[in-house]
Amino acid sequence: MNAPSQLETMSEENPAGQGLECDFCQSTAASVRRVALDGDYERLITPHAVQYACPDCFERKDRARLAVISAG
């Protein structure tokens, strides 16, 4: 199965305004995100622990993910 080449992100927001916890730094954020599909990067079917990141952790993890893909 070929994953789409278009980047797809999944996000979760808390409409009650109480914030959501980042799975990486445990801080509370208004929204959290994760990358599910990006080219050959596929996290919808592959068994793994689903983790959501606050904006700061998402940017840091996404830069690292893209560096690994570029080096591959």
Side-chain angles (χ1 to χ4, degrees), residues 11-58:
S11 65
E12 184 175 322
E13 294 186 10
N14 185 347
Q18 296 173 349
L20 298 162
E21 185 175 294
C22 173
D23 291 319
F24 300 95
C25 70
Q26 287 69 50
S27 67
T28 301
S31 66
V32 291
R33 303 189 308 174
R34 76 180 184 112
V35 173
L37 297 173
D38 185 12
D40 290 336
Y41 185 90
E42 178 280 314
R43 293 299 180 268
L44 293 178
I45 298 172
T46 305
H48 69 288
V50 175
Q51 295 181 304
Y52 287 89
C54 67
D56 289 340
C57 288
F58 180 86

